[in-house]
Structures are given as C-alpha cells and as structure tokens.
Amino acid sequence: MAETTVTTRASLQMAQWTKKDLLGLRELSAEEIQLLLATAESFREISLRPIKKVPALRGKTVVNLFFEPSTRTRTSFELAAKRLSADIINISTSASSMTKGETMLDTIKNLEALKIDMVIIRHAAAGVPQLIARASSASIINAGDGAHEHPTQALLDLLTIKEKKGQIEGLNVSIVGDIAHSRVARSNVWGLTKLGASVTLCGPPTLVPQTMTQFGVRVTWDIEEAIRGADVVMLLRIQHERQEAMLVPSLREYRLRYGIDRQRLKHAKPDVLIMHPGPVNRGVELDSDVADGPHSVILDQVTNGVAVRMAALYLVSGGAKFEETGV
Ligand code: CP
C-alpha cells in the first residue's frame, strides 16, 4: 500500500490534471496521458484485493449514458465507479424521456438538477460529448463518439502495451482494419505518437486513406509489410455495413488479404503482441487460434480497462489529494 502511494506521488510530479472533462487524446499533452497511465497503474492493484473498494470518490454521483450498445466500456466504467465508492446509475436511453422528444441538452440539465457530478457518454454522432461538456457544469467523459475518439480505449491499450513491453517510446505499432471509421484508431494514433511510438496504419485503400499520413503515421495497404518488424499489431473490427457500402468486396476477401491467422503471424517478431478492442469478428480480422494464442493480450486489455476508467473518473472529479483517498 505504501508503495502505491509513493508511485502515485512520483507520478503526480509529472503533471497536474486541470481539465473538467476527458473528451479525447488529441487535446491532451504527453504529460497528461502519462499522468492518466500512472494513476491507472496505482489503481490496478485495488481490483486484486479481496475487498475491491476504496473511498476515493465517496459521495460522488456518476451517470452512464450510452446511446450505442456496449459490453466492455459500460461495464468497466460501472465497476470503476463502484471500486472508488461513487454512486453510479445507468440510464437506458430507450426508456428515457428522450424518446418523448426531450433534447439531449435538456436531459443533461435535468440530470444536473439532480446534482450528479459526472456523465459518461457514448453516442453515434461525433462531437456530442464536446457539446455537452460546454453546456454542463458536470464532468463529461467520452466513452466513444462516432468515428471521432474513444479515449479510455486508447488509454487501456497504452497501459497494456506499457505493462507488457515496459515502455511505449520507440515501439513499432501497426493498426490494421477499418481506420477511416474507427474512433479507436484515431485515439490510439494521438496517444501512441505523443508517447513516441511509430505507428503504421494498414487495410484496404477504401478504409485507410493515404491522407492519414498527415497525422505523423505511415500508411501501407500491404499486410505483410505492416506486420514485419511490428512490436504490436492491433486489429480492428470489420463491420458488416462496410461490405454493404461496397468498401470491401466481401468479408471472405478481407480475411484473405488482411486477416491474421497463424500462417501470417510467422512474418511478425517472435514477441509480437496481438491486440483488439473487441468485439472480435472471429474468422474475419482474426482467427481464433491467434485471438486465443500466446501472443494475444486481448483479455488483459479488458482487465486494464477498469484501472484506466478509475483513473479517468478520479482525475476529472478533481482528484482530491491522493493522501486523502484512503487508497
Ligand atoms: N472496445 C469497446 O468499446 O467495447 P464495447 O463496445 O463493448 O464497449
């Protein structure tokens, strides 16, 4: 326990958290990202205790407001809030008064009137968390907005890479799949490049535009080139809608050209990490024997999601002095 406090004190010297919200990694400095990771590292151990609870956010009220389906993000935010002793409520948007025509901003104003402190929001439209954050005095955490950002996913990816490789700076990370429509890819590009990794984006030209190079990354449409020399290969889900929109000829064709199976993995470094934010389309972007094989850290990513979300809630809530949290 003493070690946890020392680690966090040292980390807090790197940066101070001054933001009300966590909306994306693009707007964060490398020091702020490092602070989130260091805080998550210090919280990770709480989930291994027999009694997985500390009083850090006692008295705070958090609302989970998801307009899109979610298994991992929604559940891990709920667990994170509970492990920090916050009260959390899940609002089912299909059962809310928004179905009767209430606007999003009126809904948020009414939640504020109920004296909530934080709102975690996922929405299909890019920019909705930013809009709400400007209008609300509550802290807003973006749990994924359209194809824009998914900051806590990228943070848990960074935490997992750091845990397994010891560092992020200097690593070669290849992200493979539907980059054009991926909020996970965008947040990872910001996070990885700010922390000094070299990022390669790979997929069919219809899903990986050459213009992405403006973000300081390499683009290749050749999967073997993307895998060769990579320390980390991160696969993204290919949505069935992309086939309907004629962006990929067929999922079978995608698998043949870009899917990772045991044979293709032979081109990778012997210690490559295989990552995926989930949900995985087994047999499309990733074969089961790779998804469940020794290189895969997919479930470690999920585990790290709780610590990252504890850190996000803790820091945006104003992070009372660490010594006072009882961690
Ligand atoms: N990675 C991710 O966002 O998963 P969920 O959609 O299940 O939250």
Side-chain angles (χ1 to χ4, degrees):
M1 211 180 296
E3 196 182 319
T4 306
T5 309
V6 169
T7 309
T8 305
R9 270 206 205 103
S11 311
L12 286 174
Q13 287 169 8
M14 292 190 295
Q16 289 290 318
W17 188 265
T18 55
K19 293 182 163 59
K20 173 175 84 69
D21 313 293
L22 175 58
L23 301 174
L25 295 197
R26 184 175 195 169
E27 67 208 39
L28 298 189
S29 65
E31 289 74 21
E32 286 169 322
I33 296 172
Q34 295 281 19
L35 175 64
L36 275 155
L37 297 180
T39 308
E41 276 166 350
S42 70
F43 281 142
R44 197 158 38 191
E45 164 272 333
I46 293 166
S47 294
L48 303 176
R49 297 181 188 176
I51 298 171
K52 304 172 181 62
K53 215 180 217 347
V54 294
L57 294 187
R58 192 167 49 197
K60 299 282 185 189
T61 306
V62 182
V63 173
N64 249 345
L65 188 57
F66 278 59
F67 291 86
E68 280 189 338
S70 167
T71 298
R72 284 148 287 265
T73 312
R74 181 174 163 148
T75 310
S76 57
F77 264 117
E78 185 166 352
L79 286 172
K82 287 178 171 167
R83 286 181 189 171
L84 293 173
S85 301
D87 297 310
I88 180 156
I89 50 172
N90 291 290
I91 296 188
S92 159
T93 50
S94 60
S96 78
S97 287
M98 274 180 276
T99 58
K100 295 185 243 168
E102 186 167 60
T103 68
M104 171 90 69
L105 287 179
D106 277 339
T107 300
I108 296 294
K109 288 289 173 199
N110 277 272
L111 291 174
E112 261 182 45
L114 295 169
K115 307 300 176 200
I116 53 105
D117 299 290
M118 287 176 262
V119 178
I120 298 152
I121 182 160
R122 170 174 289 189
H123 200 282
V128 166
Q130 288 74 6
L131 179 81
I132 290 172
R134 279 198 296 275
S136 173
S137 58
S139 288
I140 307 298
I141 299 181
N142 181 0
D145 62 323
H148 177 225
E149 283 230 35
H150 191 350
T152 57
Q153 176 66 45
L155 287 166
L156 72 87
D157 295 335
L158 292 168
L159 187 65
T160 306
I161 295 170
K162 195 167 171 226
E163 180 188 18
K164 303 293 174 189
K165 294 286 185 188
Q167 61 179 66
I168 290 161
E169 189 171 6
L171 293 181
N172 294 314
V173 181
S174 291
I175 307 177
V176 181
D178 182 3
I179 308 294
H181 302 93
S182 174
R183 54 197 178 206
V184 175
R186 269 179 190 71
S187 288
N188 264 295
V189 164
W190 297 123
L192 286 161
T193 54
K194 281 171 199 256
L195 298 193
S198 298
V199 177
T200 297
L201 304 179
C202 179
T206 46
L207 300 180
V208 188
Q210 183 69 40
T211 50
M212 298 295 287
T213 52
Q214 68 184 295
F215 301 121
V217 298
R218 182 174 73 120
V219 165
T220 176
W221 301 315
D222 177 341
I223 186 66
E224 267 135 43
E225 191 182 323
I227 291 176
R228 213 175 301 120
D231 299 290
V232 177
V233 177
M234 188 182 292
L235 290 319
L236 301 176
R237 186 167 68 95
I238 293 296
Q239 296 177 25
H240 294 268
E241 303 93 274
R242 304 298 169 241
Q243 188 179 327
E244 284 150 30
M246 313 284 273
L247 291 170
V248 290
S250 70
L251 295 184
R252 187 173 165 275
E253 177 79 6
Y254 181 88
R255 181 200 176 169
L256 284 174
R257 288 187 175 272
Y258 294 100
I260 305 292
D261 57 13
R262 240 188 316 191
Q263 198 57 31
R264 195 157 264 158
L265 198 62
K266 287 183 183 156
H267 295 279
K269 281 183 167 180
D271 61 348
V272 68
L273 296 184
I274 295 292
M275 302 180 75
H276 195 303
V280 176
N281 278 334
R282 288 171 183 262
V284 181
E285 66 265 9
L286 194 55
D287 271 16
S288 278
D289 45 2
V290 180
D292 304 326
H295 296 279
S296 172
V297 293
I298 294 171
L299 293 178
D300 300 276
Q301 291 172 258
V302 178
T303 302
N304 279 329
V306 177
V308 155
R309 286 160 182 140
M310 288 168 83
L313 290 166
Y314 176 72
L315 289 174
V316 301
S317 76
K321 289 266 177 278
F322 194 78
E323 285 80 358
E324 293 167 14
T325 65
V327 173

